[in-house]
Amino acid sequence: MLLLIAAMGPAGSEVRATLARTHLPSAGSEAKATLARSKPTPYARDGGSNVSAPRQHYLQVDRHWTPYSKATTLSWFDRVSTLEKGVDVLTCGIEKNGITLLNGILAEVMGRKFEWFPANPSTVGLSLEAFKDRLGDASNSWRKLVVYRDPMERFLSAYRSKCLLADGDRDGRKHCHDLFRLNDSQISVLNVANRLAKYGHHNPHWATQSSFCGGTVGSMWTSYTHHVSFNNLSGIAHAFKGRVSPKTFEKIRIQLSPPASGGHITDAKGHVQADLGSAEVRRKLYDFYAKDYSLPPLRNSLLSDILDSIGK
């Protein structure tokens, strides 16, 4: 009996509590019946019907999750959000890729006030294995959304927001000065680019897009059904069309109407040529974000003059 409870992992505590209340014998049909009643309820709605996921796919729900509580994993699995109850949409949120706007839409669909990653794996008990199963199953009805962005433009957006504080971000210094061990006089594009390889992977504003959502952006790109460019965020609405009420869908469309850039407006695209004019900087950025530039829609996104300037 003790071995069976231990093997059940997170469900074991529930079983122990049940056994304590009923004082069941260590073996026999009555004990087996109690164990059968203690099985977890179905978690996923794949393909429109309730299906119990394998037991190893259940995790203990974390009520004290914060956006940076699992930064040490460097795979940013906690940026996944899953909307069930007939919506059947999962999203992969990536910092500096319209993530504030995306979380606002998720809150709208869920009928909540704004919060970061309101249906992330830690709050719903979804394991990485279960997420990959759901993402990779082309036969299910789930819509799977990811927003991508040119890596150099994304880097510059992070630099202007977190290092130059161009958008008034109050916690910018924590994500730039403190992260890269630089003071105000040392915050240059080149100095930050020089330190990306050492520190960039440890913060989601600088980490590669391919590393996000359990690394699935890089390893399971084609499993996502909706690939939305940051330069056309209105495409986010297609993932929710027919899955939410007409009233909610109209609110989503309004949120995505230009300028749909969320609360952190840095105008990074307008500063690319001026701020990233150095061939040395561009080479360092290209090297650090090489995996992102291997993603299908980004393979040809570099301008020819950028490629020429770094000898690629």
Side-chain angles (χ1 to χ4, degrees):
M1 176 65 71
L2 292 177
L3 289 176
L4 178 57
I5 293 174
M8 293 182 69
S13 60
E14 182 182 349
V15 176
R16 292 188 190 98
T18 301
L19 290 174
R21 288 194 303 271
T22 56
H23 303 287
L24 290 174
S26 58
S29 59
E30 187 178 354
K32 293 177 182 178
T34 300
L35 288 174
R37 288 195 299 271
S38 68
K39 289 181 180 179
T41 56
Y43 175 80
R45 285 191 70 258
D46 288 349
S49 61
N50 286 326
V51 180
S52 294
R55 188 179 302 281
Q56 66 268 23
H57 286 180
Y58 289 88
L59 297 178
Q60 192 71 31
V61 172
D62 183 359
R63 303 295 183 188
H64 304 289
W65 177 88
T66 66
Y68 302 101
S69 62
K70 297 192 176 181
T72 54
T73 65
L74 305 185
S75 71
W76 314 109
F77 176 46
D78 46 11
R79 268 50 181 173
V80 170
S81 291
T82 58
L83 300 178
E84 299 186 341
K85 298 181 179 178
V87 179
D88 291 353
V89 172
L90 63 82
T91 66
C92 175
I94 300 176
E95 264 79 350
K96 308 312 300 176
N97 287 15
I99 199 168
T100 304
L101 180 66
L102 180 59
N103 277 274
I105 290 173
L106 294 175
E108 183 67 51
V109 173
M110 299 175 73
R112 298 184 185 178
K113 293 182 179 180
F114 179 90
E115 59 184 293
W116 290 112
F117 316 105
N120 72 76
S122 293
T123 61
V124 299
L126 179 68
S127 72
L128 178 58
E129 291 79 9
F131 168 67
K132 286 183 175 180
D133 286 348
R134 185 177 298 179
L135 178 64
D137 184 358
S139 67
N140 66 33
S141 64
W142 283 79
R143 293 178 182 173
K144 306 144 188 179
L145 168 73
V146 62
V147 177
Y148 64 90
R149 187 177 189 178
D150 179 87
M152 292 195 188
E153 181 185 320
R154 177 173 172 261
F155 164 84
L156 190 55
S157 178
Y159 175 77
R160 290 182 59 78
S161 172
K162 309 306 175 187
C163 302
L164 302 185
L165 310 178
D167 57 358
D169 194 340
R170 293 182 228 175
D171 66 350
R173 297 183 67 88
K174 176 175 69 176
H175 300 299
C176 180
H177 301 66
D178 296 348
L179 176 70
F180 295 114
R181 277 66 166 174
L182 297 170
N183 60 40
D184 287 340
S185 65
Q186 298 170 321
I187 293 297
S188 67
V189 171
L190 179 58
N191 282 343
V192 172
N194 275 330
R195 296 183 177 225
L196 277 178
K198 185 174 183 179
Y199 302 111
H201 296 291
H202 297 270
N203 187 285
H205 298 91
W206 314 93
T208 60
Q209 296 168 73
S210 56
S211 68
F212 273 77
C213 300
T216 59
V217 174
S219 64
M220 299 180 68
W221 173 264
T222 56
S223 294
Y224 285 91
T225 60
H226 292 67
H227 305 92
V228 177
S229 168
F230 178 80
N231 294 320
N232 186 23
L233 291 175
S234 61
I236 292 174
H238 297 304
F240 296 92
K241 189 173 183 179
R243 299 294 180 89
V244 297
S245 70
K247 182 179 180 180
T248 298
F249 184 72
E250 182 60 21
K251 288 182 178 179
I252 291 174
R253 276 200 336 103
I254 292 173
Q255 286 194 53
L256 292 170
S257 299
S261 50
H264 302 301
I265 302 174
T266 60
D267 190 26
K269 191 172 184 179
H271 290 79
V272 168
Q273 293 297 331
D275 293 355
L276 301 182
S278 164
E280 182 180 4
V281 169
R282 293 186 180 194
R283 179 184 297 276
K284 291 182 181 298
L285 295 182
Y286 183 87
D287 290 343
F288 183 75
Y289 293 112
K291 289 184 177 180
D292 289 351
Y293 278 117
S294 70
L295 297 175
L298 295 173
R299 285 173 187 162
N300 300 315
S301 66
L302 280 176
L303 299 177
S304 59
D305 60 329
I306 295 179
L307 289 170
D308 292 341
S309 72
I310 61 178
K312 295 289 182 179

